Structure formats: C-alpha cells, structure tokens
Amino acid sequence: MSANQLTLWYLAASVLFILALKGLSSPTTARRGNLFGMIGMGIAVLVTLAVVARGNVAGILLAMLIGGAVGAFVARRVEMTQMPELVAAMHSLVGMAAVLIAVAAVNNPGAFGVADPLPMGNKLELFIGTFVGAITFSGSVIAFGKLAGLGRTFRLFSSAPIVFPGQHWVNLAIGLVMIGFGVAFFLSPDENWTAFIMMTGLAFMLGVLIIIPIGGADMPVVISMLNSYSGWAAAGIGFSLNNSMLIVAGSLVGSSGAILSYIMCRAMNRSFISVILGGFGAAEGSAAGAAGEKTVKSGSAEDASFLMQNAESVVIVPGYGLAVARAQHAVKEMAQMLREKGINVRFAIHPVAGRMPGHMNVLLAEAEVPYEQVFEMEDINGEMGTTDVVLVLGANDVVNPLAYEKGSPIYGMPIIDVHKARTILVNKRSMAAGYAGLDNPLFYMDRTMMVFGDAKKVVEDIVKSLH
C-alpha cells in the first residue's frame, strides 16, 4: 500500500470518528454515530493490518479472533445496569495496552521502525504514554471495583472515599519521584530499564492513590476522566509508533473525554483541577444527619397510583436505585399507561445520575422510552413548580435541596428542583443516605410521600393498580 493510499484511508477513518462523536451528541442520532464509529474502526484496523502484513500475520489474526470472541461473550452477558463497570474495565485495557507497547518499543525499537538506541524525542513520547497508560490502568481497576461493589471483600474498592492524613502531599511526592525517574530514562544514553521500570511502577501506584479518595457518588466524573486519560495514552504511543491514525483517534477520545469531564464538573459544581489531582471526593463522608428525629409520611404503591392517575402532569426522575432494580421496562409500561389516560408524562434526567455520564439515558433507551419524553435537567426545571406529581425513583443527591444551602458539602451543585412540585413521591429501599452521605430534607416535606421498597416491585404494583 502506497503512502498516499494509507493517508487517504486513515483520513476517511478519522472523518468517520468525528461524525461518530457528532452523532453521539444526541439520542436521536446515537445509533448512526455508533455505526460511523464501527465503520471507521474497521477501516483503521484493516488498513493497519495491510501495512504490517510484511509476512505472516497469523499471530495478529489469532489474537484478534480470541479478543473478539471474549468481547462478544462479555457484551452478551453484561446487563445494561453493569455498563459503568464495563466501561471502566475497557479503559483499563487501553491503559495496559499503552504500557505494554511502550515496553516492547523500549526492548526492541527496530521492530517499530524506531532507531536503536532510542532518540530522545521517542523516549519523551514513550515516557508520557507509559505513565498516563499506567495511571489509567490502575485507576480504572479501582473504579471498576467501586462500581462493581467489591468494597465488601477488598477495602480499596470501597464506594466511600478512602482518605488519610497528608494524602495529597504523598501523591505529590510520588508524582515528582515518578517524573524524576522519567527524566533519568529520557537523559540516559541507553534504555536504562531501572529508571523505566521504577517510573512505570510509581505510575501504577499513583493511579490507585488518585482514585481511592473519590466516592461512589462521583463516579460519572471519574469515568469520563479515565476515558480522557486512555485517549491521551493512546495518542502518546501513536507518536512513538509514528502512527497517525492512533494519534488522531487517541486525541479525539482524550479531548472529548476532557470536555465531558468539564461538563460533569460543572454539573456537580466541582473544580476540574481537583478531579485531575484526585481530590474530588475528599469532601464526602459527611454525617447523614439526625434522620431518626424527623418524621416522614409513607404510603403504598396503590396510594402513589391514585395520586398519579388523578394528576394532569407527572414527571419521573430516575436514579441509581432504578438501575439496580432493573426497573426501566416496568417504568416504561407505567408511563405508557398514564399517557393513555391523558396524563402528560415526562422524564427528567440529571447529567450525573447513576454511575456514568448518560447512565439513565442509556437505560431508558434500552426500554425504548420515546426520546421526546426525556428531558435534561435545565430543560424541565422551570416547569417543576406547575407539575402535579413528581415520582423520584432511587435518586438522592441529585434532588437534594441542601444544594441551595450555604455550608452544605453539595452547595452550588445544580439539582432537579423536585421540591417545587405540588406532590412528591419518593421511592427508596430505606431512609439511608445517598453516596454523598447527606440526609435529604426533601423526604420530610409535607408534600412528600415515601414509598419504600424495591423500585421494580413498587412500579409493578403501581402498574397493577392502574389497570
């Protein structure tokens, strides 16, 4: 394949990747965006295979077959509610791939078309790609453990923030020592495996330390941040391999992940810099408050059904409790029955509800809830004051009015203003605080009725009462 043909095919793949990102910006075009992305990746893989096919590519094809089979098997078995931890696992693989490619390039530069000994420019690229990849791998493993609920068996995977005195200073010291070994590797006239291995090991350690202080409620930001890291790791290795396609794809993933992280930070009223430095969850773990000294009004699914079918407008706010209960299909059926009775039913989505960006949108899309019924927080908040009934399913922190009280750990965080509705129904398993560890005044309001129980069971009972 000539250089011009290679450039043309890589350009076509790059355009398709950009169109994929454009398509993924809206639920109505997401399927098309995914299709563009898959075609672009297919072109990139096939063209790269043609470039490296100087002889026997049986080993590469065998690895692709094994990897593809494993991926297909996992994808078919993973529930939509487990998508956040699957995404974290995929990020870890990208990070480890960057590290392994860097190790191979340092060990045998000639196999990658790089001069031996390594030029200083290539060493710098390998250094950056390696430490970003290592941080991405270990950080993603911790994120996976938190999302998968493995904290009961291993403390590092606890969904609660793990903090210790001087944590940031320890992270800073490890980061500086890691950079020091990287500089030693960069300036060394030979491979200097000692400096390279020490730098890589410290990067793995740093990835763990910057994620463990982040609590479960902040996982959407962590997922988008790690997504960005994995992209930059791939781009760094692309420079070392002189592969323009890898540079373009990695840069697109890195920049889009960074933009998404910034959007998530704004939604949580957090500092973008604090996310990058791993201090995002440090303020969590506040006391839940004296919930036992307050009283709540509780009712049954039949009571909730009566209130909703006698309303003119109903807004449903899904949260992580809906995901855990796998209640999205039952909720879709309930909403459809209410609409058949002439009731205006809409869904309100908070950008960080769930465990990854767009988690609730994905679940509702799986249940085939019409896109026109799903509204983002900023589009529906202005109508909350005129809404007859709001049904909150498993959401906590994203509807907590403490966000409007100065001194609160979540002060300034944009929330869905369900407290302004005429009647508020809240479904929870218990009165336990959410992941942010805060009590919620919404639960004790005169206009609020708590409906305790598993979200799927409660919604199914509501559906029976609507018949």
Side-chain angles (χ1 to χ4, degrees), residues 22-359:
K22 173 64 176 177
L24 292 173
S25 64
S26 170
T28 57
T29 58
R31 290 181 183 271
R32 186 174 61 198
N34 272 318
L35 180 61
F36 284 146
M38 289 187 288
I39 295 173
M41 184 56 68
I43 292 174
V45 170
L46 291 175
V47 172
T48 303
L49 279 175
V51 171
V52 301
R54 301 186 182 96
N56 185 8
V57 294
I60 297 176
L61 294 176
L62 177 62
M64 291 177 61
L65 179 62
I66 295 173
V70 172
F73 176 76
V74 171
R76 290 181 65 86
R77 289 180 60 87
V78 170
E79 299 281 350
M80 290 300 293
T81 51
Q82 298 173 309
M83 283 300 296
E85 48 259 51
L86 178 63
V87 171
M90 294 300 103
H91 289 161
S92 72
L93 295 180
V94 175
M96 181 54 75
V99 173
L100 294 177
I101 292 173
V103 170
V106 173
N107 180 62
N108 188 2
F112 294 88
V114 181
D116 191 3
L118 283 166
M120 296 185 71
N122 290 101
K123 282 190 172 183
L124 178 61
E125 294 158 1
L126 288 170
F127 161 55
I128 295 174
T130 301
F131 86 75
V132 175
I135 290 174
T136 302
F137 171 76
S138 56
S140 297
V141 169
I142 297 300
F144 170 82
K146 286 175 175 284
L147 292 165
L150 301 180
R152 298 182 183 90
T153 57
F154 194 38
R155 169 65 174 153
L156 284 180
F157 295 141
S158 172
S159 60
I162 299 176
V163 296
F164 53 85
Q167 189 167 35
H168 294 298
W169 290 108
V170 171
N171 291 351
L172 177 62
I174 292 175
L176 291 175
V177 175
M178 178 194 72
I179 292 174
F181 279 113
V183 171
F185 167 72
F186 172 69
L187 297 176
S188 176
D190 54 16
E191 290 85 356
N192 196 344
W193 278 104
T194 300
F196 182 81
I197 292 172
M198 290 299 297
M199 178 266 294
T200 306
L202 289 171
F204 281 126
M205 184 185 303
L206 191 59
V208 173
L209 291 175
I210 64 175
I211 299 299
I212 59 173
I214 301 176
D218 303 329
M219 279 297 113
V221 183
V222 175
I223 292 296
S224 60
M225 179 183 70
L226 292 171
N227 178 61
S228 179
Y229 286 179
S230 67
W232 296 125
I237 296 302
F239 279 105
S240 299
L241 302 181
N242 195 27
N243 187 301
S244 58
M245 187 70 262
L246 191 55
I247 295 171
V248 171
S251 299
L252 287 172
V253 173
S255 56
S256 60
I259 293 170
L260 183 58
S261 297
Y262 177 72
I263 294 172
M264 294 294 103
C265 287
R266 287 188 60 187
M268 296 290 288
N269 194 37
R270 304 287 191 172
S271 165
F272 183 67
I273 300 300
S274 70
V275 175
I276 297 174
L277 297 179
F280 189 66
E284 293 194 5
S286 304
E293 300 176 3
K294 304 174 184 177
T295 58
V296 298
K297 292 188 297 184
S298 63
S300 64
E302 290 74 17
D303 297 328
S305 171
F306 175 80
L307 290 170
M308 285 192 289
Q309 62 183 323
N310 284 283
E312 293 184 2
S313 60
V314 172
V315 172
I316 302 170
V317 181
Y320 188 60
L322 175 141
V324 172
R326 297 177 174 85
Q328 61 268 29
H329 295 282
V331 170
K332 188 269 179 91
E333 182 182 359
M334 177 188 70
Q336 185 173 343
M337 293 184 66
L338 289 171
R339 292 179 69 86
E340 289 172 355
K341 295 177 180 293
I343 301 167
N344 181 20
V345 181
R346 292 165 293 173
F347 292 82
I349 307 296
H350 193 282
V352 296
R355 292 296 176 267
M356 72 175 185
H359 194 181

